[in-house]
Amino acid sequence: MNVELITIGNEVLSGRTLDTNFAQIARALEEVNVTVAWHATVGDTLERIGEAIRHALSRADAVVVTGGLGPTPDDVTRKAVAAVLGRKLQLNEQVLESIRERARRQGRTLPASVESQALLPTGAHVLPNPVGTAPGLLLMHHDTPVFLMPGVPQEMEAILRESVVPWLRDRAGQRVATVTLRTSGVSESALQEKIGGLATHWPGATLAYLPSYFGVDLRVTAAGADAVTVERLAERARAELLDRVEAVVYAEGGRTMEDVVGEALVARGLTIAVAESCTGGLLAKRLTDTPGSSRYVERGYVTYSNAAKIELLGVSEADLERYGAVSAEVATQMARGAAERARAGVGVGVTGIAGPDGGTEAKPVGTVFIGVSDSAGVAVRRVALFGTRATIRERAAQTALDVVRRRILGLPLETKLD
């Protein structure tokens, strides 16, 4: 099944809003082996929306549209779709009452314009929106389904997961199983070299390499008519991949590095304190993004200046002058100082050069030192990262989490494929 996604909104075309909806929808459809063959982004005009939908209907097996279902004058998706499909807009009393009931529960008085969201093309099937007022819609044009979803990300995601994905998965006529192995500290090319042509021996399954700031995910998608056969193939692929790259796999599925670190800390009854320079609080943010992190996150220090490192963490002024703020010696003292002053079982110190300036021949931009202190002492790792200032900071935080994970689990701090 080939699907076309249409994103609607002037704010997306202007660059003011990132099109995260497209990425979310594409990932969700990939998981059920539905192919996104085309993607279009159009502005909030009847003519352009209508043209995009007509074009999609001429080539796609299904059309998924997001955006333009709100109550403001530029929300014209319903009107454009009705015109293309030759439908009238009619007031749906059930949707109208649902909108009013939601407002009553929240103690709000809705403007009359909100009720325009109950004007639906004739023959539209309502897809419930559990977190907003504008419902999703499904319209059949001959044999081609056209899905309409709001552009608000949390509303779109709820309708996508509860209505759109199940409908398309069932119509695709295949059973699908996916396996995701998450790796850190190794390049896509190194993984490809290690894995080689392994995937060619999995009939009915594909292997995708999905690089990001945080590492490379390996995603296996197995599809077929028989659920048992598909599950067995996916498990076989998982086992064979782990046999080759387990040394750099930190999690499976959607689990994040901070989730894994948190679980390891809780399992050992440890707390953690972080001291950050170049990451400026990103490491603490990542750790506290996980619900329940108050069980193990004790505190964080953002010690950007040398004075802050001295005053808050007890870093030696003489060592700062001798070795520089970006050094193994300072990372060691930052980690130890964070652990001691917070009375935490684990302390982390991160110091580096995020750029774009400040690098030297001995310590170029992207040089980062990560220290980890625990009851066994302090270990330090030096890494050379690349990218923009923002990506270096993100990669430094991810690498620091991986260093903590490895230290807690008793693994080598260096990331290497066997």
Side-chain angles (χ1 to χ4, degrees):
M1 176 180 286
N2 292 320
V3 173
E4 178 153 358
L5 304 186
I6 301 175
T7 305
I8 295 172
N10 291 335
E11 69 281 3
V12 177
L13 284 174
S14 70
R16 293 193 303 271
T17 299
L18 293 178
D19 192 359
T20 58
N21 283 349
F22 166 73
Q24 185 72 29
I25 297 168
R27 286 195 297 265
L29 295 185
E30 181 191 42
E31 290 174 3
V32 295
N33 208 37
V34 172
T35 301
V36 177
W38 304 276
H39 174 220
T41 302
V42 298
D44 297 297
T45 68
L46 286 168
E47 295 77 11
R48 291 173 184 170
I49 296 171
E51 180 183 356
I53 292 171
R54 279 190 292 271
H55 197 194
L57 288 170
S58 72
R59 61 188 180 182
D61 300 315
V63 182
V64 178
V65 183
T66 178
L69 297 182
T72 59
D74 61 348
D75 290 313
V76 295
T77 298
R78 281 183 298 267
K79 186 180 294 186
V81 171
V84 169
L85 302 186
R87 314 283 182 94
K88 293 181 178 180
L89 287 175
Q90 292 184 333
L91 184 67
N92 186 303
E93 294 290 348
Q94 289 182 321
V95 171
L96 180 59
E97 179 54 31
S98 175
I99 293 172
R100 290 172 174 169
E101 176 57 27
R102 183 179 182 84
R104 285 193 290 267
R105 290 197 308 269
Q106 296 176 344
R108 295 188 299 141
T109 300
L110 293 178
S113 61
V114 173
E115 297 184 354
S116 67
Q117 294 173 118
L119 288 171
L120 312 183
T122 56
H125 176 71
V126 174
L127 307 177
N129 180 351
V131 293
T133 55
L137 302 175
L138 166 60
L139 298 101
M140 296 300 300
H141 180 65
H142 304 305
D143 293 328
T144 303
V146 179
F147 294 93
L148 309 182
M149 295 185 291
V152 180
Q154 59 267 34
E155 297 183 29
M156 182 282 299
E157 184 175 0
I159 297 170
L160 176 72
R161 293 291 181 182
E162 295 180 17
S163 299
V164 177
V165 168
W167 197 99
L168 291 173
R169 179 190 59 213
D170 292 344
R171 299 317 186 278
Q174 288 187 313
R175 301 292 182 177
V176 180
T178 61
V179 171
T180 301
L181 302 181
R182 315 202 74 179
T183 73
S184 178
V186 62
S187 68
E188 182 179 359
S189 59
L191 285 168
Q192 289 175 335
E193 184 176 349
K194 185 69 174 180
I195 293 168
L198 189 61
T200 61
H201 303 292
W202 304 332
T206 59
L207 172 62
Y209 294 80
L210 308 174
S212 71
Y213 295 157
F214 309 121
V216 181
D217 289 351
L218 302 172
R219 164 122 7 117
V220 175
T221 302
D226 180 67
V228 173
T229 302
V230 167
E231 290 291 343
R232 286 176 179 169
L233 177 58
E235 181 53 36
R236 173 189 159 194
R238 173 186 175 276
E240 292 181 3
L241 276 175
L242 284 174
D243 186 55
R244 299 200 182 188
V245 301
E246 187 171 13
V248 295
V249 172
Y250 68 86
E252 298 188 32
R255 295 169 67 220
T256 63
M257 186 74 82
E258 51 266 35
D259 292 337
V260 175
V261 169
E263 291 166 8
L265 289 167
V266 170
R268 290 157 181 77
L270 296 171
T271 57
I272 189 169
V274 299
E276 303 180 64
S277 185
C278 64
T279 49
L282 278 175
L283 182 55
K285 176 195 178 298
R286 290 280 301 278
L287 283 166
T288 55
D289 277 345
T290 299
S293 55
S294 59
R295 292 174 295 169
Y296 50 85
V297 176
E298 216 296 324
R299 71 185 70 174
Y301 303 87
V302 177
T303 53
Y304 214 67
S305 68
N306 286 352
K309 293 177 178 67
I310 295 167
E311 179 182 348
L312 297 177
L313 301 172
V315 174
S316 164
E317 184 174 2
D319 286 344
L320 280 165
E321 292 179 0
R322 181 178 180 182
Y323 301 109
V326 180
S327 62
E329 291 77 11
V330 169
T332 295
Q333 293 175 49
M334 289 174 66
R336 185 186 295 122
E340 291 177 351
R341 299 193 177 206
R343 296 183 177 87
V346 178
V348 189
V350 184
T351 179
I353 306 169
D357 303 316
T360 65
E361 185 175 346
K363 297 175 185 177
V365 170
T367 300
V368 177
F369 290 89
I370 301 163
V372 182
S373 173
D374 58 17
S375 60
V378 184
V380 179
R381 180 178 170 192
R382 174 176 175 162
V383 294
L385 305 175
F386 62 93
T388 65
R389 178 178 177 83
T391 56
I392 287 172
R393 284 156 52 94
E394 293 284 3
R395 287 175 171 136
Q398 177 78 352
T399 306
L401 286 169
D402 194 29
V403 169
V404 172
R405 176 186 72 92
R406 290 174 170 276
R407 180 72 171 182
I408 294 172
L409 298 179
L411 300 171
L413 295 193
E414 293 291 334
T415 306
K416 292 182 180 179
L417 281 169
D418 295 334

